[in-house]
Amino acid sequence: MKRTIRVAVVGATGYAGAELVRLFQSHPNAEVTTVTSARSAGKKLSEECPWIASSLQLETFHPGIISEDFTFLCQEAGFAMEHAPELIKRTRVIDLSADFRLKDPLLYEQYYNRPFSAEGTQGVYGLPELVDRKEIANAKLLANPGCYPTGTLLGLMPLVRAGLVTGTPVIDAKSGVSGAGRSKKDTEYLFSELSGGFKAYAVSGHRHTPEIEQLAGVPIRFTPHLIPTPRGLEVTLHVTVSSGENLTKLYEEFYKNEPFVNVVQAQPSIKQVVGSNRCDICPSYDEHTGYAVITTVIDNLVKGAAGQAIQNMNLMAGLTETTGLPISGLWP
Amino acid sequence: MKRTIRVAVVGATGYAGAELVRLFQSHPNAEVTTVTSARSAGKKLSEECPWIASSLQLETFHPGIISEDFTFLCQEAGFAMEHAPELIKRTRVIDLSADFRLKDPLLYEQYYNRPFSAEGTQGVYGLPELVDRKEIANAKLLANPGCYPTGTLLGLMPLVRAGLVTGTPVIDAKSGVSGAGRSKKDTEYLFSELSGGFKAYAVSGHRHTPEIEQLAGVPIRFTPHLIPTPRGLEVTLHVTVSSGENLTKLYEEFYKNEPFVNVVQAQPSIKQVVGSNRCDICPSYDEHTGYAVITTVIDNLVKGAAGQAIQNMNLMAGLTETTGLPISGLWP
Amino acid sequence: MKRTIRVAVVGATGYAGAELVRLFQSHPNAEVTTVTSARSAGKKLSEECPWIASSLQLETFHPGIISEDFTFLCQEAGFAMEHAPELIKRTRVIDLSADFRLKDPLLYEQYYNRPFSAEGTQGVYGLPELVDRKEIANAKLLANPGCYPTGTLLGLMPLVRAGLVTGTPVIDAKSGVSGAGRSKKDTEYLFSELSGGFKAYAVSGHRHTPEIEQLAGVPIRFTPHLIPTPRGLEVTLHVTVSSGENLTKLYEEFYKNEPFVNVVQAQPSIKQVVGSNRCDICPSYDEHTGYAVITTVIDNLVKGAAGQAIQNMNLMAGLTETTGLPISGLWP
Amino acid sequence: MKRTIRVAVVGATGYAGAELVRLFQSHPNAEVTTVTSARSAGKKLSEECPWIASSLQLETFHPGIISEDFTFLCQEAGFAMEHAPELIKRTRVIDLSADFRLKDPLLYEQYYNRPFSAEGTQGVYGLPELVDRKEIANAKLLANPGCYPTGTLLGLMPLVRAGLVTGTPVIDAKSGVSGAGRSKKDTEYLFSELSGGFKAYAVSGHRHTPEIEQLAGVPIRFTPHLIPTPRGLEVTLHVTVSSGENLTKLYEEFYKNEPFVNVVQAQPSIKQVVGSNRCDICPSYDEHTGYAVITTVIDNLVKGAAGQAIQNMNLMAGLTETTGLPISGLWP
């Protein structure tokens, strides 16, 4: 079976979209055949994204141009909600935005400042290690998780499912700057403003909060920060637990069959997973205060976006889940 | 009064020592007249530290060479304990190590793996904004605070002293790499290993924990991380409080007379205080979970080390506290 | 004499303007009393520039509001040409733009795509180490040199004035990103696009070429590059010379009385001059090919802009040339 | 044909060695079956290189343990010279050191400070785009080019072979820090010393000079610099030419059949080739001075080391040259 799956990437000049194109170049069974861009239609993809060696030509999106087996939507909130109901008649859809992640439309409206307008259309939340893979396999519309929820939930859920959590988990999360996307042009995203900096942001009410709480089933305190590097995401979870015994064993057992989750002994750096679809997790327990301290690292654009989307596509297409996905990081 | 105070810097080729030399170059009342280095005695300081324009010659330390008014010790743990009892007969001593910070010698032994051997010699803990400045003014031996304790306590103590803290404060702290010093030569501190990385470290039992708890009076959960930049330190404090009303006013009131503490509305970046002796603090309250979320930023080598040491010297010498200390950061 | 000189900074929220405000905070004889901003008038400077601790309020510029002794213009090309003829009736002007650097109006028009419209008004080119300081001292309108010309000419002129240059000097220059200013908002200046990158740009016809050639008196091949760091500028000059003997001595002799120029033996890093007004120069000769290879480093915002502007002001005001200017770099 | 080629990596915990392991994980026809390390034998590779997800165990090298089809030597100068004569009896050898790059043993001795001791053993210089691919295909011992020579020669040789070069090419080259390897532990390679820095080094007599001159056939002026980022290498070539017409066409023609060389219009950043085996080249001509200015970018660890080594192995094994090698860069 060689490159029989045809793929469209809608919004291919953003970071997640271009990352999909890059990753698919080494996927043995799938090929990107359509790429779109609202701003740059008519140009070559490589002109807008000089890191991509490709002869693909950017088109203007409308549902009618899509004939591919899978369509990846890499657009701002609102876009998928508008187009998915139509698109899923022609193609299986993997949406990298937040539009179909929250089951409660009121929460969506509260956090995204727009009503949920795609009533009747539902997505399957695609965090393979933590949900029912059969639902993913059968999905017409896959809601690809956010980067922070991926890094947080992979660290938190073993404690939750073991019934150990006794208080509000304190989630102190840090992301590389690419999480802000490629289209934000405010002064604050300039190289000279961020290089050598580090700061918290969106301390109250970050949009990923309800997405995490939906799966975790408990309220969380969530504080994101910006790391002065383009890629990578670290989450430090501080969780009061009823027992801190054998946490490492608990995590190893929980993830023993997971090719993309790695329980480690030494505190992991985001750098060791950059470019890979891996999540490294280091659990520990602090007797002094009764807190479990769990750290996780992912590449926000791979396991936190494009890589996980391909992992979901592999499941949906009946392929081995790891097909075409890098397991080692790019270092140094 | 021009440059009448003479200063010795012991350990002048490390980051804190060299920063003292640099800062004193614009101090109107003090002058560095002796610099020492164990490894590089005989060389010019500028040879070992090409960023310093100076004709100072590095000497080998022994107490007998010191005739200065003030002596700053910038050495590893153990050094001050050995030499301070003798030195304070000849000079006033400001120690940038941890040797005289902890009142309890057993805690010192537990965290620093050596017995406290300078019985009978006591230091004054010099965090001017939070302790009795008269004690600092009269000190013979000043224990200059650690960088993490400075950033943490400036954020935490307004809540503690207002009696608002109801649980274990969760301190998620992040430091630039210079905090590790200039003499660590392990692979892990190489540029190529840290650039683009971010990680937690010393998750259990970091040495600054008891120093923070000593002043705070409550146990804390403390997790430090390494930011891929040389300078700057951010602390995010997650504290359950009995009331979250008017936190900004509380902090503004608490620090209203402090020239080096700045209560800000927008989340501060470490970058805005790099090179300055300032601490910017942003208090907020999360109704969703009942947590106060306080963020602070300092330059770990200035307010977290050399700058605060000069601030203490100014108090000890009867000078205006801000003399010669930069108040604005170096940006971009 | 304490703070008797009053200073206005026009365009204070850009990098050079804000750097002037920061540097003047430790200048013993001058004080910034007016700051202007086209976009942010009415706000506090510290709101737009959170690294500056100051109560200064931003105003809208027009010549009538200026009553200061010195006015620093930190604006795009064209602004000074429009306002300087009027302004110099009220204040001495130091212009950090290119408007008055080129003596030949046709060259100005060719490189800056606008006619030189301030006929009859002339600036004094203020590169103190290489021009007649008396002319600077007497200037009403001072044209502060560009960053690349400063770094290049300090390295090139000792060879030129010794009559050693035999061919076209090849100038391979590299600048930190702050050289692009704070107002460029194109995608290419985003943190995520530049971090980890390095590239040449403006390979043909960079605007600083005629400025260098005007003083050097020879045509040059000039290629600028972008370093992935905010500050600092390095120039590597490859110059065929009639003799490569004793180059170090030649440079030491040339700069023996210059407090801000430092002839060094070890290849200098831009990092060692960041934050300082220093230029470090390392001359060498390659017998293999007959090329002198001269490297220079400056901070593009200090010796390459704001610091040199203050150095010029010191000369114009009759102060010691080094007054208030940092001589050591900020490291690490 | 699936993973039928067995590969040994000698020195697998260094940057080039680990990069080989990483790249081979997505090579469809080859598999790494032996990894060695002088310092870490007995440990798992993933313990020393936490970015590599692998169960490979590190062994101590001696020729007798090698039964693989191909053996990649990633060691300091001297190692290959000692072991290759024996090893090529058991396996085909690809040496990433300089030992077999120079045809003239006297030049080797002059630049590497040791006599060339493997008389009678010769390597084939493996820069596929510029040498006879048949010789590579038949090699028993392949000398993989240095990173600077790769970036330089790909930019220079089209001019040389067209007979256009009229003077000494001035090569101003810049490399990411990983070029220094993983085992240098001097202060100067610490993160805090290099972050935010940029400097020239080895201005006279860099070891890659004779390697470049050997193929170019002309003396060159070569000046390397260190970029504050781990990966990537840029070369700016300033070459006086007899004619500057149609340079872009010349380069496009020269490389029209080369899958890994890309002639581009916009100045390329090292960032766009990081992680890929690509070389992007931008030729231009400066009428003002008669210089051709050619810029090239490669990833020093991929096209400059491990990737090119695999490209050579593909040729030696009769595989398609591009097999398993990434063509797009990792961005941002």
Side-chain angles (χ1 to χ4, degrees):
Chain A
M1 179 168 64
K2 180 113 182 63
R3 301 270 184 173
T4 54
I5 300 171
R6 293 170 64 250
V7 166
V9 176
V10 175
T13 61
Y15 292 141
E19 185 71 355
L20 278 166
V21 176
R22 187 185 74 86
L23 288 169
F24 272 120
Q25 288 185 333
S26 52
H27 195 292
N29 307 114
E31 187 168 14
V32 176
T33 46
T34 292
V35 287
T36 80
S37 164
R39 266 184 300 269
S40 309
K43 294 187 183 174
K44 290 178 67 175
L45 174 60
S46 61
E47 200 177 331
E48 291 299 291
C49 303
W51 62 96
I52 303 281
S54 162
S55 57
L56 284 167
Q57 207 81 17
L58 292 162
E59 299 179 51
T60 301
F61 171 79
H62 64 94
I65 67 165
I66 306 292
S67 66
E68 278 76 8
D69 304 296
F70 286 89
T71 299
F72 292 74
L73 303 181
C74 308
Q75 298 285 351
E76 299 287 314
F79 183 93
M81 208 159 59
E82 183 184 345
H83 294 292
E86 181 64 24
L87 266 177
I88 53 177
K89 299 174 188 163
R90 318 174 55 92
T91 178
R92 295 174 84 180
V93 173
I94 294 176
D95 178 29
L96 281 78
S97 85
D99 281 3
F100 294 96
R101 292 178 195 155
L102 298 177
K103 294 198 196 320
D104 180 348
L106 293 182
L107 271 180
Y108 182 85
E109 185 163 351
Q110 178 188 337
Y111 278 87
Y112 291 88
N113 302 318
R114 71 183 76 215
F116 181 79
S117 63
E119 288 154 35
T121 307
Q122 281 200 326
V124 172
Y125 190 71
L127 217 172
E129 291 81 2
L130 297 175
V131 303
D132 184 349
R133 278 178 165 95
K134 281 192 209 119
E135 285 192 33
I136 294 176
N138 295 324
K140 280 295 282 178
L141 172 55
L142 192 292
N144 206 56
C147 50
Y148 284 127
T150 298
T152 301
L153 290 165
L154 289 171
L156 183 59
M157 292 310 288
L159 295 179
V160 169
R161 294 203 173 149
L164 293 171
V165 178
T166 60
T168 301
V170 173
I171 316 293
D172 199 285
K174 301 94 180 174
S175 173
V177 178
S178 62
R182 202 182 181 203
S183 54
K184 296 229 181 91
K185 302 279 170 62
D186 311 294
T187 301
E188 64 177 308
Y189 293 105
L190 294 179
F191 177 86
S192 293
E193 303 282 306
L194 288 173
S195 180
F198 182 88
K199 59 180 286 190
Y201 69 99
V203 165
S204 281
H206 188 279
R207 291 173 162 186
H208 285 168
T209 310
E211 186 181 336
I212 297 168
E213 293 178 341
Q214 176 176 276
L215 197 65
V218 293
I220 57 158
R221 166 89 285 278
F222 181 73
T223 315
H225 302 72
L226 222 44
I227 311 172
T229 194
R231 281 196 188 220
L233 185 152
E234 192 264 0
V235 184
T236 300
L237 301 102
H238 312 263
V239 190
T240 48
V241 287
S242 49
S243 161
E245 275 181 71
N246 294 325
L247 282 191
T248 299
K249 191 165 283 181
L250 173 74
Y251 277 78
E252 285 175 344
E253 186 65 24
F254 194 94
Y255 289 120
K256 69 181 169 196
N257 296 320
E258 293 301 342
F260 290 122
V261 182
N262 200 13
V263 180
V264 298
Q265 308 292 323
Q267 287 299 331
S269 169
I270 54 170
K271 192 178 171 76
Q272 70 198 47
V273 295
V274 163
S276 89
N277 199 49
R278 225 168 67 221
C279 175
D280 285 0
I281 303 183
C282 183
S284 67
Y285 179 65
D286 171 29
E287 292 196 357
H288 181 56
T289 57
Y291 272 86
V293 181
I294 317 297
T295 55
T296 73
V297 290
I298 60 169
D299 182 326
N300 58 308
L301 291 177
V302 187
K303 183 62 180 167
Q308 184 147 268
I310 294 176
Q311 185 182 355
N312 281 314
M313 187 206 78
N314 286 341
L315 289 168
M316 292 162 79
L319 299 170
T320 302
E321 191 169 339
T322 54
T323 307
L325 287 168
I327 191 75
S328 290
L330 188 87
W331 179 298
Chain B
M1 179 169 63
K2 179 112 181 65
R3 301 272 184 171
T4 55
I5 300 171
R6 294 169 65 248
V7 166
V9 176
V10 175
T13 61
Y15 292 141
E19 185 71 355
L20 279 166
V21 176
R22 187 185 74 87
L23 289 169
F24 272 121
Q25 288 185 332
S26 52
H27 195 291
N29 305 115
E31 188 169 13
V32 175
T33 46
T34 292
V35 288
T36 80
S37 164
R39 267 184 298 270
S40 308
K43 293 186 182 175
K44 290 179 66 174
L45 173 61
S46 61
E47 200 177 330
E48 291 299 291
C49 302
W51 63 96
I52 303 281
S54 162
S55 57
L56 284 166
Q57 207 80 18
L58 292 162
E59 300 178 50
T60 300
F61 170 80
H62 65 94
I65 67 165
I66 305 292
S67 67
E68 276 77 6
D69 303 296
F70 286 88
T71 299
F72 292 75
L73 303 181
C74 307
Q75 299 285 350
E76 300 288 316
F79 182 93
M81 209 159 58
E82 183 184 345
H83 294 292
E86 181 63 23
L87 267 177
I88 54 177
K89 299 173 188 164
R90 317 175 56 94
T91 178
R92 295 176 84 179
V93 173
I94 295 176
D95 177 28
L96 280 78
S97 85
D99 281 2
F100 293 96
R101 291 179 195 155
L102 298 177
K103 294 198 198 317
D104 180 348
L106 293 182
L107 271 180
Y108 182 86
E109 185 164 350
Q110 177 189 337
Y111 277 88
Y112 291 88
N113 301 319
R114 71 182 78 213
F116 181 79
S117 63
E119 288 154 36
T121 307
Q122 280 200 327
V124 172
Y125 190 71
L127 217 172
E129 291 83 0
L130 298 174
V131 303
D132 185 349
R133 279 179 166 94
K134 281 194 207 119
E135 286 192 34
I136 294 177
N138 295 324
K140 281 296 282 177
L141 171 56
L142 192 291
N144 206 56
C147 50
Y148 283 127
T150 299
T152 301
L153 290 165
L154 289 171
L156 183 59
M157 293 309 289
L159 295 179
V160 168
R161 295 204 174 149
L164 293 171
V165 178
T166 59
T168 302
V170 174
I171 316 293
D172 199 285
K174 302 92 181 177
S175 172
V177 178
S178 61
R182 203 183 180 201
S183 53
K184 296 228 182 92
K185 302 279 171 61
D186 311 295
T187 301
E188 63 177 310
Y189 294 105
L190 293 179
F191 177 86
S192 293
E193 304 281 306
L194 288 173
S195 180
F198 182 88
K199 59 181 286 192
Y201 69 99
V203 165
S204 281
H206 188 278
R207 290 172 163 188
H208 284 168
T209 310
E211 186 181 336
I212 296 168
E213 292 178 341
Q214 176 176 275
L215 197 65
V218 292
I220 57 158
R221 165 89 284 278
F222 181 72
T223 315
H225 302 73
L226 221 46
I227 311 171
T229 194
R231 281 196 187 221
L233 185 153
E234 193 263 0
V235 184
T236 300
L237 301 101
H238 312 262
V239 190
T240 48
V241 287
S242 49
S243 162
E245 275 182 71
N246 292 326
L247 282 190
T248 299
K249 190 165 283 181
L250 173 74
Y251 277 78
E252 285 175 345
E253 186 65 23
F254 193 93
Y255 289 120
K256 69 181 169 196
N257 296 320
E258 293 301 341
F260 290 122
V261 182
N262 200 13
V263 180
V264 297
Q265 308 293 322
Q267 287 299 330
S269 170
I270 54 171
K271 193 177 171 77
Q272 70 199 48
V273 294
V274 163
S276 89
N277 199 49
R278 225 169 66 223
C279 175
D280 284 0
I281 304 183
C282 184
S284 67
Y285 179 67
D286 171 29
E287 292 197 357
H288 182 57
T289 56
Y291 272 87
V293 181
I294 316 298
T295 54
T296 73
V297 291
I298 60 169
D299 182 326
N300 57 307
L301 291 177
V302 186
K303 183 61 178 166
Q308 185 148 269
I310 294 176
Q311 185 181 356
N312 281 314
M313 187 206 77
N314 287 341
L315 289 168
M316 292 163 78
L319 299 170
T320 302
E321 190 170 338
T322 54
T323 307
L325 287 168
I327 190 74
S328 290
L330 188 87
W331 179 299
Chain C
M1 179 169 64
K2 179 114 184 62
R3 302 268 184 175
T4 55
I5 300 170
R6 294 170 65 248
V7 166
V9 176
V10 175
T13 61
Y15 292 141
E19 185 71 354
L20 279 166
V21 176
R22 187 185 74 87
L23 288 169
F24 272 120
Q25 287 185 332
S26 52
H27 195 292
N29 307 114
E31 187 168 16
V32 176
T33 46
T34 292
V35 287
T36 80
S37 164
R39 266 183 300 268
S40 309
K43 294 186 182 175
K44 289 178 67 176
L45 173 60
S46 61
E47 200 178 330
E48 290 299 291
C49 303
W51 63 96
I52 303 282
S54 161
S55 57
L56 284 166
Q57 207 80 18
L58 292 162
E59 300 179 52
T60 300
F61 171 80
H62 65 92
I65 67 166
I66 305 292
S67 66
E68 278 76 7
D69 305 296
F70 287 89
T71 300
F72 292 75
L73 303 181
C74 308
Q75 298 285 349
E76 300 287 315
F79 183 93
M81 208 160 58
E82 183 183 346
H83 294 292
E86 181 64 24
L87 266 177
I88 54 176
K89 300 174 187 164
R90 318 175 55 95
T91 178
R92 295 175 85 181
V93 173
I94 294 176
D95 177 29
L96 281 78
S97 86
D99 281 3
F100 293 96
R101 290 179 195 155
L102 297 177
K103 294 198 198 317
D104 180 347
L106 293 182
L107 272 180
Y108 182 86
E109 185 163 350
Q110 177 188 337
Y111 278 88
Y112 292 89
N113 301 319
R114 72 182 77 214
F116 181 79
S117 62
E119 288 153 36
T121 306
Q122 281 201 325
V124 172
Y125 191 70
L127 218 172
E129 290 83 1
L130 298 174
V131 303
D132 184 349
R133 278 178 166 97
K134 280 190 209 124
E135 285 192 34
I136 294 177
N138 295 324
K140 281 296 284 178
L141 171 56
L142 191 292
N144 206 55
C147 48
Y148 284 127
T150 299
T152 300
L153 291 165
L154 288 171
L156 183 58
M157 292 311 287
L159 295 179
V160 169
R161 295 201 174 153
L164 293 171
V165 177
T166 60
T168 302
V170 173
I171 316 293
D172 199 285
K174 302 92 181 178
S175 172
V177 179
S178 62
R182 202 183 181 201
S183 54
K184 295 229 181 92
K185 303 280 171 60
D186 311 294
T187 301
E188 64 177 309
Y189 294 105
L190 294 180
F191 177 86
S192 294
E193 303 282 306
L194 289 173
S195 181
F198 182 88
K199 59 181 285 189
Y201 70 99
V203 164
S204 281
H206 188 278
R207 290 173 162 187
H208 285 168
T209 310
E211 186 182 337
I212 296 167
E213 293 177 340
Q214 175 175 275
L215 197 65
V218 293
I220 58 158
R221 165 88 286 277
F222 181 72
T223 314
H225 302 73
L226 222 45
I227 311 172
T229 193
R231 277 194 191 224
L233 186 152
E234 193 263 0
V235 183
T236 299
L237 301 101
H238 313 263
V239 190
T240 48
V241 287
S242 50
S243 161
E245 274 181 71
N246 292 325
L247 282 190
T248 299
K249 191 165 282 180
L250 172 74
Y251 278 77
E252 285 175 345
E253 187 63 23
F254 193 94
Y255 289 120
K256 70 182 169 196
N257 296 319
E258 294 300 341
F260 290 123
V261 181
N262 201 12
V263 180
V264 297
Q265 309 292 323
Q267 286 300 330
S269 170
I270 55 172
K271 194 176 169 79
Q272 70 199 49
V273 295
V274 162
S276 89
N277 199 49
R278 224 168 67 221
C279 175
D280 285 1
I281 303 183
C282 184
S284 66
Y285 179 66
D286 171 30
E287 293 196 357
H288 182 55
T289 57
Y291 271 87
V293 181
I294 316 297
T295 55
T296 73
V297 292
I298 60 170
D299 182 327
N300 58 307
L301 291 177
V302 187
K303 184 62 179 166
Q308 185 147 268
I310 294 176
Q311 185 182 357
N312 282 314
M313 186 206 78
N314 287 341
L315 289 168
M316 292 162 78
L319 299 170
T320 302
E321 192 170 337
T322 53
T323 308
L325 286 168
I327 191 74
S328 291
L330 188 87
W331 180 298
Chain D
M1 180 168 63
K2 179 116 184 58
R3 301 270 183 173
T4 54
I5 300 170
R6 295 168 65 249
V7 166
V9 177
V10 175
T13 61
Y15 292 142
E19 185 71 354
L20 279 166
V21 176
R22 186 185 75 85
L23 288 169
F24 272 120
Q25 288 185 333
S26 52
H27 195 292
N29 306 116
E31 187 168 14
V32 176
T33 46
T34 293
V35 286
T36 80
S37 164
R39 266 183 301 269
S40 308
K43 293 187 182 176
K44 290 178 67 174
L45 174 61
S46 62
E47 200 177 330
E48 291 299 291
C49 303
W51 62 95
I52 304 281
S54 162
S55 56
L56 284 166
Q57 207 80 17
L58 292 162
E59 300 179 51
T60 301
F61 170 79
H62 64 92
I65 67 166
I66 305 293
S67 66
E68 277 77 6
D69 304 296
F70 286 89
T71 299
F72 293 75
L73 303 181
C74 307
Q75 299 284 350
E76 300 288 316
F79 183 93
M81 208 159 58
E82 183 184 346
H83 294 292
E86 180 64 24
L87 265 176
I88 53 176
K89 299 175 190 165
R90 317 176 55 93
T91 177
R92 295 176 85 182
V93 173
I94 294 175
D95 177 29
L96 281 78
S97 85
D99 281 3
F100 293 96
R101 291 179 195 154
L102 298 177
K103 295 198 197 317
D104 180 348
L106 292 182
L107 271 180
Y108 182 85
E109 185 163 351
Q110 177 187 338
Y111 278 88
Y112 291 89
N113 302 318
R114 71 183 76 215
F116 181 78
S117 63
E119 288 153 37
T121 306
Q122 281 200 324
V124 172
Y125 191 70
L127 217 172
E129 290 83 359
L130 298 175
V131 303
D132 184 349
R133 280 179 164 94
K134 280 192 208 120
E135 286 192 32
I136 294 176
N138 295 324
K140 279 297 281 178
L141 171 56
L142 193 290
N144 206 56
C147 49
Y148 283 127
T150 298
T152 300
L153 290 166
L154 288 172
L156 183 58
M157 292 310 288
L159 294 180
V160 169
R161 295 203 174 151
L164 294 171
V165 178
T166 60
T168 301
V170 173
I171 316 292
D172 200 285
K174 303 91 180 177
S175 172
V177 178
S178 61
R182 202 183 181 203
S183 54
K184 295 229 180 91
K185 302 281 170 60
D186 311 294
T187 302
E188 63 177 309
Y189 294 105
L190 294 180
F191 177 86
S192 293
E193 303 283 306
L194 288 173
S195 180
F198 182 88
K199 59 181 285 191
Y201 69 98
V203 165
S204 281
H206 187 279
R207 291 173 162 187
H208 284 169
T209 309
E211 185 181 337
I212 296 167
E213 293 178 340
Q214 174 175 276
L215 197 65
V218 292
I220 57 158
R221 167 87 284 278
F222 181 72
T223 315
H225 302 73
L226 221 45
I227 311 171
T229 193
R231 279 195 189 223
L233 185 152
E234 193 263 0
V235 183
T236 299
L237 300 102
H238 313 263
V239 190
T240 48
V241 287
S242 49
S243 161
E245 274 181 72
N246 292 326
L247 283 190
T248 300
K249 190 165 283 180
L250 173 74
Y251 277 78
E252 285 175 346
E253 187 65 22
F254 193 93
Y255 289 120
K256 69 181 169 196
N257 296 320
E258 294 300 341
F260 291 122
V261 181
N262 201 13
V263 180
V264 297
Q265 309 293 322
Q267 286 299 329
S269 170
I270 55 171
K271 193 177 171 76
Q272 70 199 48
V273 295
V274 162
S276 88
N277 199 50
R278 223 168 68 222
C279 175
D280 285 1
I281 303 184
C282 184
S284 67
Y285 179 66
D286 172 29
E287 293 196 357
H288 181 56
T289 57
Y291 272 86
V293 181
I294 316 298
T295 55
T296 72
V297 292
I298 59 169
D299 182 327
N300 58 307
L301 291 176
V302 186
K303 184 61 179 166
Q308 185 148 269
I310 295 176
Q311 185 181 355
N312 282 313
M313 187 206 78
N314 287 340
L315 289 168
M316 292 162 80
L319 299 170
T320 303
E321 190 170 338
T322 53
T323 307
L325 287 168
I327 191 75
S328 290
L330 188 88
W331 179 298

